[in-house]
Amino acid sequence: MTQKRFAGPEIAAGAAPLAAASAGPGGLLAQMLACSFLWASSFLLMKVIGTDLSPLALTAARGAMGGGLLALWVLARGGIAWPRGREWRDWIVLGVAQGIVPNTLTAYALTEITAGLTSLIQASAPLMVAVLAHALFADERLDGRRAAGVLIGFAGMAVLVGPAAFGGAGSLPGTLAMVATAVSYAIGNVYVRSIPDPRPLRLAFGQQVFSGVPTLVLVLALGGPAAFAAVPQHAAALAALGLFATALPIVLYMNVLRLAGPTVGSMNGYLVPIWTILLGFGLLGEAVGLREIAGGLVVLAGVAVASRARRPAG
């Protein structure tokens, strides 16, 4: 049976692997570096906006802008900008699991903990995917090597989360919010595994639309237009969040998947925390402790071992 594997912090989508050499290794690496850098910038932009917008209002603004920009991309490619058939269900599920829940929780977590720690915990999502896939799919059972990778990764998570859980450094609510974010991304990734014919562009578009529109309606119903009173103050940061930290990296990520397949594409997940820590230190003056560095390296090592493609039998 041919297996589908999907990974990535902002989009659950897959594509058939093609020869990466068709774009040249330099071009592929440049796209991966740009994609991971842009995704990392989202943590910094949300951190800058802070509490001026509620986490739900920020999710609404981000999803609406990302969905609108991707709608233009879909229409420019001759596509249809509304769901058809089972896309209704797929878009709703991904809008919640890959949009509303993680974006809202991440926005909240960034008011409690550093951007670097936030991205390091989020990077554990592939570990959650491995556990869920093991429980749900017969062809995704964990062998000894992959199980060891999962255990290594969770040991790194214990290093990152433990002090907050036992009253030490860090905010427990913010830390747990990011753990829940990783679980939500994992659920979305596993759901895509069950879609018979996943189409990356349409899944990305649907995910953004069904993240932005429902939260926009909800925020307006609960707080009215006053909930978005701070938008003009942060217009530049919100525009950058919607275009450069959401829509553009999704397009780049889909192209990486098309050229190199999901295994190579998943390497973006390893690069995002590195960029986030560097940006947080350089632009926000966030300190990075030895515990975060050690725990993050252990998590990424576990993810690398657990997500490595299995060799075909025989």
Side-chain angles (χ1 to χ4, degrees), residues 274-302:
I274 298 172
W275 283 122
T276 306
I277 290 171
L278 291 175
L279 289 170
F281 177 78
L283 300 179
L284 301 181
E286 291 187 343
V288 182
L290 290 177
R291 178 179 62 84
E292 286 85 358
I293 294 174
L297 289 175
V298 174
V299 168
L300 295 178

Side-chain angles (χ1 to χ4, degrees), residues 45-63:
L45 291 167
M46 287 190 285
K47 190 80 170 176
V48 168
I49 295 169
T51 58
D52 291 342
L53 282 174
S54 71
L56 201 60
L58 185 54
T59 296
R62 182 179 186 181

Side-chain angles (χ1 to χ4, degrees), residues 189-210:
N189 272 267
V190 171
Y191 179 81
V192 174
R193 170 72 167 76
S194 68
I195 298 176
D197 182 25
R199 300 182 181 182
L201 177 57
R202 293 194 63 77
L203 288 178
F205 169 56
Q207 173 185 309
Q208 293 300 315
V209 169
F210 279 83

Side-chain angles (χ1 to χ4, degrees), residues 1 3 5 139 141 143 145-146 263 305-314:
M1 179 182 296
Q3 297 182 20
R5 298 179 184 275
D139 60 344
R141 301 296 185 195
D143 56 20
R145 175 182 53 76
R146 296 180 68 223
T263 299
V305 173
S307 62
R308 186 182 304 168
R310 286 179 289 185
R311 296 174 182 174

Side-chain angles (χ1 to χ4, degrees), residues 177-262:
M178 286 314 301
V179 173
T181 294
V183 172
S184 188
Y185 276 130
I187 291 172
N189 272 267
V190 171
Y191 179 81
V192 174
R193 170 72 167 76
S194 68
I195 298 176
D197 182 25
R199 300 182 181 182
L201 177 57
R202 293 194 63 77
L203 288 178
F205 169 56
Q207 173 185 309
Q208 293 300 315
V209 169
F210 279 83
S211 168
V213 173
T215 48
L216 181 62
V217 172
L218 180 60
V219 171
L220 289 174
L222 294 176
F228 296 99
V231 166
Q233 177 186 349
H234 296 289
L238 287 168
L241 185 64
L243 175 59
F244 296 110
T246 302
L248 182 56
I250 285 177
V251 173
L252 286 172
Y253 182 64
M254 288 187 298
N255 197 49
V256 170
L257 288 174
R258 180 182 66 83
L259 293 170

